[in-house]
Amino acid sequence: MSIDAVLGDLTTEPADALVNAANSTLLGGGGVDGALHAAAGPALLAACRRIRKQQWPDGLPVGEAVATEAGNLSARWVIHTVGPNRNRGQDDEGLLANCYTRCLDVATELGATTIAFPAIGAGAYGWDAPTAARVAVDAVVSHPRSGIHRARFVLFSQRLYDAFAAELARL
Ligand code: AR6
């Protein structure tokens, strides 16, 4: 599996599966979540509502992941995950790592061969760039081999890109 990082917008990234840094409600929000919903159109929200109704009535737990269709996005699937909210005292790096691991599990189950991640938790949820990057890269690198050929981190700021590039350079 190749792992790399680019500076850019996740919504236009060509990949089978795009990961959404969502919240437990799965009903949208700001940041990358808002951008993905805006680009995907109402089909994504409708799919999220079905997941809430049928699978996670109390909301998606922190560190868990679930896939939906991707609406108007060019990806086939959106995989929604919920990072720990550091601003609310949720500072367990293991839970942040679980987000990446569970997304890779779900992507593998779907048969995806390429996946693109944002820097989960590094926006509204308050994780600093070096920690967000270290946890993300460690989690993806240590995931058992799967059918995924390429995992890409798509970073929205130079600061985050630099943090991820530094972690990847250490491999
Ligand atoms: N492409 C790639 N990265 C992006 C994009 C984009 N289009 N837009 C923002 N980012 P955040 P979190 C970056 O806040 O910290 C939402 O409201 C952003 O610059 O999106 O996990 C949810 O509904 C940052 O580096 O996710 C939740 O309530 C990174 O994506 C909450 O925010 C993650 O920032 C989740 O917070």
Side-chain angles (χ1 to χ4, degrees), residues 127-165:
W127 288 80
D128 62 276
T131 306
R134 173 175 50 77
V135 172
V137 170
D138 282 353
V140 173
V141 167
S142 60
H143 191 265
R145 282 206 168 277
S146 62
I148 294 168
H149 302 319
R150 192 190 70 217
R152 170 167 286 173
F153 299 105
V154 181
L155 293 322
F156 213 46
S157 71
Q158 188 68 46
R159 193 173 52 87
L160 271 157
Y161 172 78
D162 290 345
F164 276 74

Side-chain angles (χ1 to χ4, degrees), residues 16-67:
D16 293 341
L18 300 180
V19 171
N20 182 17
N23 59 63
S24 287
T25 71
L26 294 179
L27 301 180
V32 72
D33 192 4
L36 284 168
H37 274 277
L44 184 60
L45 184 58
C48 287
R49 288 192 197 282
R50 283 195 294 278
I51 296 281
R52 282 296 307 277
K53 207 168 171 185
Q54 294 164 7
Q55 209 176 337
W56 294 105
D58 298 326
L60 187 68
V62 173
E64 200 32 92
V66 69

